[in-house]
Amino acid sequence: MLLKTFYQSDFYHIQVDSTHHLLLARWQRPVTTQEVITGGTKLYEALQATHLERALANAQAFTTLSPEAKQWMATTFYQLLSQTHLKKLARVLPSSLFHRLALESVVTRAEALDVTKFDVQNFAQEPEALSWLLEEQAP
């Protein structure tokens, strides 16, 4: 993979692989509500700028999400992503069941609100997530 950094901070890193038409976003550590909003907005901006259709979001470093962060993600964040060319989002979730369920509930809520216009799949590790993202679409 040939990765080019789009955004980097101490809590979030976004890279673009133009060869595979893929965006990779990785949370670097547990984050605050404001950092969730900043990172999510940067992901939206990266998808808008690159027009990529596939993204991997690695949230293994996530711990507790505030109710405000969950609310923002379920409503605003997924609505923003639906305004991009995104077709597939692979999420690599934390190993902790509690933290994994919190993130899964965000997508469930966003889907119930009908703000997700792309496929979302959850994974335990990046290799499986990448495999799903890179599989050829059926005609």
Side-chain angles (χ1 to χ4, degrees):
M1 280 193 172
L2 188 64
L3 297 172
K4 178 182 163 197
T5 297
F6 184 91
Y7 172 80
Q8 185 167 359
S9 70
D10 69 320
F11 62 89
Y12 201 49
H13 193 190
I14 300 173
Q15 297 172 297
V16 173
D17 177 350
S18 299
T19 306
H20 294 98
H21 309 287
L22 180 68
L23 182 142
L24 301 171
R26 292 182 182 98
W27 294 98
Q28 304 296 313
R29 59 170 173 75
V31 289
T32 66
T33 299
Q34 186 54 53
E35 289 168 337
V36 167
I37 293 170
T38 299
T41 303
K42 291 296 181 185
L43 177 58
Y44 162 73
E45 291 170 359
L47 288 168
Q48 280 288 83
T50 61
H51 301 284
L52 294 174
E53 296 180 351
R54 297 177 291 190
L56 184 149
N58 187 325
Q60 287 177 307
F62 262 38
T63 55
T64 306
L65 279 177
S66 71
E68 297 81 15
K70 287 199 281 192
Q71 170 72 11
W72 183 83
M73 289 175 74
T75 56
T76 307
F77 176 62
Y78 282 98
Q79 194 163 26
L80 286 173
L81 294 187
S82 290
Q83 295 170 18
T84 70
H85 291 89
L86 187 64
K87 290 195 182 344
K88 292 174 84 172
L89 175 64
R91 300 187 326 155
V92 181
L93 301 183
S95 58
S96 159
L97 178 62
F98 178 76
H99 299 130
R100 194 167 59 245
L101 289 174
L103 286 170
E104 287 174 357
S105 72
V106 168
V107 169
T108 302
R109 180 144 186 258
E111 289 171 342
L113 293 169
D114 199 30
V115 295
T116 42
K117 307 295 184 207
F118 48 88
D119 290 334
V120 180
Q121 292 288 326
N122 297 322
F123 298 90
Q125 299 294 326
E126 273 194 21
E128 296 108 22
L130 284 170
S131 178
W132 177 72
L133 285 172
L134 297 174
E135 72 187 14
E136 290 303 314
Q137 304 253 346

